[in-house]
Structure formats: structure tokens, C-alpha cells
Amino acid sequence: VHHEVLLVVNLSLSPLLALFMAYFVKYYGFSEQSTYTFSKNSNIPVYFFMSVVVALFVGLIVSAEEIFRDRKIRKREAFLHLSNSSYLASKIIILFGLSAIQTLSFIFIGNLILEIPLSEGRYWLILFSCACFANVLGLNISSAFDSAVAIYILIPVLVIPQLLMSGVVIPFDKFNPNVGKPNFIPMMGEAMASRWAYEAFMVTQFKDNPYEKMYFEVDQRERTSFYKRKYMLTELETKVSYLWTERSHWRDQNHQGVKDALRLLKEEIGFEMVKFSMSPAMTAMTAKLEIGKVDSLALVDTREFIKLLRNVYATRLEKAIADRGLITAQLTDTKEKKAAFETMKGRYTNEAVRVWVESSNETNRIVEWNGQLIQKILLIYFEDHRPAHLFDFRSNFFVPTKHFMGRYYDTLYFNISVIWVMTLLLFVTLYFDLLKKLVHALEARRKYRRRNTAL
């Protein structure tokens, strides 16, 4: 009876939370006279984040006592040498099945209330992955501790870092400089399933919905060209002007300002030359952008190359705007098509999500760090990855693709894969009882110290 009641409670928990969250998220900020639209709901990013938190919390709750509850049975039947892998597999299959039902009911009710199309099944895949991660994490603590009180006290301790290190409660840019860097997410954030899940939610909602899919490629060309001309090239021109004013220090190895400006110009211009496959004669120009080698001719050539880049990006910008206009014209050339176009836009896009992923409110739009210019806005269109090595996947938040082993993967599928890799690692720790052994070792050490102190 206890197990049946517990099963009913677990199955009803997610729908109830979805009903509660979606109701307040939908109706807060809309008066009785105004008409609700998904497109104008400014709470959707918060709803996505809370959905991830719910999946993690519920996943932990349903699994936290599973192994602990069976400890007496397992001890009594230990002499039978039952297969540990079969026991764990049975637990995981049941929990994953329960998580599939819970997250499916959560998505169904939440999407229905918020008028999110149920065809957006990608959201369920994200939540299901989070719940499975939490299931295996819960099994680990269920196996490691001998007290139900300790297990349930530990659940909030495990959830709180998922909140703080997700990049939502505290933006990664606002982290302590000793922890975070401007060009990628801190390692503590990378270890959080919530960070991967939330980014996947926001990125896929923006760029993979049926409306934005028609525009994303041209939007990426347009916004990237805009960013390069307005911010990056302007910053490079400022560095060139600065070097002209400091010409007396071109040979001064101790002048940090000149060294930093030359390093930045060499890095950024060199990257653009490789990107556009410039000839060796052109790329050799950057060799003079070093302290002791720079001269007037090198700076003149650098300034001319920046002008060339400005013209190239201006042409790309104009072409992208024209292509976007052509797509829109084809989709709205009749009244019926125009009405369907506006309906699709209101049904699938959300203005608040767009603001978040484009970082429109970011004051520091470009940051100089470690000899590079770090892009801080329009990151959803970012395409200039600079991996340090073959396995370097680190990047800023909300980028559309991730680098790994020399290839680029869609953020949605890469992030979900990372969550499943973390889940697999947790299963390894569960199978070999690594957390249990660690806890018991720490407990034995504590008792040993207490005994020595008493003596």
C-alpha cells in the first residue's frame, strides 16, 4: 500500500507543479482587458528555468530512498550472490519510465496553459534528460547514506548549486573574476546539469521554432556583420589610433599598453585573414604587429585591411537584409499567407527569449581579454569559435553550436549529450559504490580522530 500511494503521489506531483507554475506564469502581467499571447509573455525564460529545476527536484525525490529502502532485504539476501547490475538496471528502468511519464505530463499541462505548441517535443527531451540525471544522482545518495534524514537533508544541498551555477540566478559574467572568465562559462557552471538544460531550452526555442528556422541563416549573417562593423572593427581602429600616438614606445619592451594593443591586432586580424582564406602575402603582414617590429608601413597596411573588412561586412550585411526581405515577401504575397505568417510568428516566437539570447540589455557589448575581443551580445548568432585544442567545447552562454573533436554540433543535441554523459558517470560511481566508499571512509576517519582525541 505504501508503494502504491507513493507511486500515485510521484505521478501527480509533476502535473500539479506544472499547473501551479504555468497558471501564474501565464496570467501575471496580463490584465483582464488584454489578450494573452505566448509571444508577449515575458515570463517564459523563467518558466523554462523552473521547469529544469522541477525536473531535477522531482527526479531526486523519487529516487532518493530507492536503495536505502531495500537495504535490509539486500543484506538478508546477500548470501545468494544476486547480480548487482541487474538490481541497478531494474531500478533505473523503473525510474526512467516514471520520469518519462512525469516530464511528459508536466510538458503537456504547462504547454497547454501557456499555449506553447505541443509539437515542440524537444522540450520534453531536455526535461527527461534532466530527470534521468537526477534519478541516478538520487540513487547514489540513497546507496551512500544509512539515514533517511541525511538523504532528504542532502537533496536541497544538491539542488541549490544547480540554481546558483545555472547562469540564471547569477549571470556568469557577474561571477568572481577568480572563478569566471569573459570568454567561457566557469568550470563549476559546466558541471551543472541545469546550465546545460537551460541553455538548450533557450537556444532551441529561439532558433529551432518553425518561424525562426526560415530566417536564422540570414539573421546570423546580418547580425554577425552588424557586430563586426559596429563593435569589433571600431575597436581595432581605436587600437591602431592608439599605436600612432605611442610611436615613441614601439621598441619599448616594458610598455604594456603598446604590447597589448599589438597582440590584440595580431590575434584578431590574423583570425579574420584565416577566416577569409587570405593569401600568404597578406597574412605575412601580421608578423610585424609585435613590439620591436612594428613600423609606420605595418600600421598603414593594418588600417587599410580594417577598411577592407568593413567593406566586406557591409556587403554581407546588405545581402543578408535583402535576402531576409525576399523571404518575407514570398511568405506574405497574399492576404491569406500574410495572416498565416503573423499567426506563426505569434505562436512560435517569444520576445523575452529573444532579448535573453541576444543579450540586448548587456552594457559591455565587447570585452578585451587575454589578447582577444570577446563578443558579449548577439551570442545566439555567434560563429567565430577559437578552440584551444581538439576537445575544447567551452564557449559563452547561448551560442548556437559547440565545438568538439574538430566538428561543430547543434547546441540542443550537444547539451543533451553532455547531460547523458554526466548521467553515465554517475551510474559508474553507483555501480562501484564510489560515493558510499567515500562517505564511509570519511566517517571512519572522523571516528578515528575522535577516539584519538579522547585518548
Side-chain angles (χ1 to χ4, degrees), residues 361-378:
N361 299 325
E362 178 63 49
T363 54
N364 297 321
R365 307 205 154 193
I366 188 168
V367 176
E368 180 181 347
W369 182 80
N370 201 25
Q372 294 182 10
L373 291 175
I374 309 301
Q375 182 176 339
K376 304 305 292 183
I377 61 166
L378 304 175

Side-chain angles (χ1 to χ4, degrees), residues 56-65 134 137-138 141 148-162:
L56 291 169
F57 181 74
V58 174
L60 278 169
I61 288 291
V62 300
S63 61
E65 264 195 280
L137 180 59
I141 63 173
V149 175
I151 290 171
Y152 283 106
I153 287 176
L154 196 59
I155 289 176
V157 176
L158 294 173
V159 172
I160 289 172
Q162 298 285 347

Side-chain angles (χ1 to χ4, degrees), residues 117-312:
L118 294 175
S119 58
E120 303 289 79
R122 305 179 306 278
Y123 303 159
W124 172 80
L125 184 59
I126 297 169
L127 292 187
F128 175 64
S129 301
C130 276
C132 292
F133 166 84
N135 289 158
V136 184
L137 180 59
L139 288 176
N140 270 271
I141 63 173
S142 181
S143 172
F145 293 91
D146 299 324
S147 166
V149 175
I151 290 171
Y152 283 106
I153 287 176
L154 196 59
I155 289 176
V157 176
L158 294 173
V159 172
I160 289 172
Q162 298 285 347
L163 297 174
L164 294 179
M165 303 295 176
S166 64
V168 181
V169 177
I170 304 175
F172 292 123
D173 289 345
K174 305 298 187 293
F175 271 36
N176 189 310
N178 295 322
V179 176
K181 305 298 180 185
N183 65 331
F184 49 68
I185 294 168
M187 283 303 299
M188 288 189 296
E190 302 284 25
M192 299 296 141
S194 58
R195 161 263 186 278
W196 296 100
Y198 181 69
E199 183 184 44
F201 250 121
M202 296 292 281
V203 169
T204 194
Q205 199 292 318
F206 179 81
K207 80 178 189 67
D208 294 329
N209 69 75
Y211 175 85
E212 186 60 32
K213 270 186 175 181
M214 301 182 296
Y215 288 105
F216 186 75
E217 189 274 332
V218 293
D219 282 349
Q220 189 172 39
R221 284 191 281 125
E222 177 188 341
R223 304 301 170 84
T224 300
S225 300
F226 167 79
Y227 165 80
K228 296 278 188 177
R229 296 185 77 247
K230 185 173 178 64
Y231 297 105
M232 188 201 77
L233 295 179
T234 300
E235 191 67 25
L236 295 184
E237 288 169 342
T238 301
K239 294 298 180 183
V240 173
S241 298
Y242 168 78
L243 288 172
W244 279 113
T245 63
E246 299 292 334
R247 61 189 308 157
S248 61
H249 297 287
W250 287 355
R251 301 290 182 271
D252 186 358
Q253 295 287 344
N254 297 318
H255 197 287
Q256 195 61 42
V258 171
K259 290 174 70 175
D260 290 344
L262 288 169
R263 182 187 179 191
L264 181 68
L265 286 170
K266 184 175 183 178
E267 172 68 25
E268 295 297 330
I269 290 176
F271 180 81
E272 293 294 323
M273 285 181 170
V274 172
K275 182 178 178 180
F276 288 103
S277 303
M278 295 294 182
S279 64
M282 287 287 291
T283 56
M285 180 188 76
T286 59
K288 285 193 172 184
L289 295 177
E290 293 181 6
I291 200 83
K293 296 181 181 179
V294 64
D295 54 25
S296 299
L297 182 60
L299 289 186
V300 169
D301 289 342
T302 300
R303 179 168 284 171
E304 290 301 313
F305 182 74
I306 293 172
K307 288 182 180 178
L308 174 64
L309 283 177
R310 189 173 285 280
N311 292 334
V312 168

